[in-house]
């Protein structure tokens, strides 16, 4: 470890680590990895509970949106409760926004966009 990193006070990178966990967790959910995604999402919420950042809250909200295909799962409901109580994050009004299937399952050939989240 270099001297600069050793001199950093604890918690300096809290926001960026929490946001990164939410982003990677979202990617796992989009790849159908619920268990690993929820693990990362819970760690993200735990870290970001101590941070006041609208950007961090947005990343957690994106993660909650990606949980749409599993909305009836008890573990997902538990996570949503955790996110609501620790970060004040709830799914977007009108329910989840993400499609129930990944964009690659619907295709997107011919220069058309397959969904509102990609440019395929």
């Amino acid at each position: 470890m270099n001297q600069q990193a050793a001199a950093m006070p604890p918690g300096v990178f809290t926001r960026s680590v929490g946001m990164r966990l939410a982003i990677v967790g979202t990617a796992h959910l989009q790849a159908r990895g619920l268990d690993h995604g929820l693990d990362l999402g819970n760690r993200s919420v735990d870290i970001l509970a101590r941070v006041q950042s609208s950007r961090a809250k947005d990343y957690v909200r994106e993660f909650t949106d990606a949980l749409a295909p599993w909305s009836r799962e008890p573990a997902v409901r538990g996570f949503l409760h955790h996110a609501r109580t620790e970060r004040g994050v709830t799914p977007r009004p009108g329910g989840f926004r993400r499609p129930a299937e990944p964009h690659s399952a619907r295709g997107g050939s011919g220069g058309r966009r397959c969904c509102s989240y990609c440019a395929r």
Side-chain angles (χ1 to χ4, degrees):
M1 182 183 285
N2 66 33
Q3 288 180 344
Q4 242 183 347
M8 288 282 204
V12 169
F13 298 110
T14 302
R15 178 175 167 260
S16 61
V17 169
M19 289 189 316
R20 215 168 280 126
L21 286 169
I23 292 165
V24 174
T26 301
H28 279 277
L29 294 176
Q30 291 170 342
R32 299 306 208 210
L34 177 62
D35 293 335
H36 194 108
L38 278 176
D39 179 50
L40 294 170
N42 277 305
R43 289 173 44 201
S44 172
V45 169
D46 290 341
I47 290 170
L48 295 173
R50 302 181 297 265
V51 175
Q52 292 297 319
S53 166
S54 61
R55 189 167 160 216
K57 191 173 183 176
D58 288 343
Y59 281 113
V60 174
R61 182 167 287 121
E62 288 293 323
F63 180 86
T64 63
D65 290 346
L67 288 168
W70 302 280
S71 62
R72 295 176 191 252
E73 294 289 327
V76 171
R77 290 180 184 176
F79 171 81
L80 293 173
H81 175 76
H82 181 59
R84 183 174 53 252
T85 57
E86 294 296 321
R87 256 327 272 152
V89 173
T90 57
R92 296 180 198 279
F96 294 111
R97 164 180 103 151
R98 295 272 181 206
E101 65 209 70
H103 67 272
S104 59
R106 290 193 304 266
S109 59
R112 298 184 326 262
R113 290 170 45 141
C114 70
C115 66
S116 60
Y117 305 103
C118 71
R120 289 186 188 193

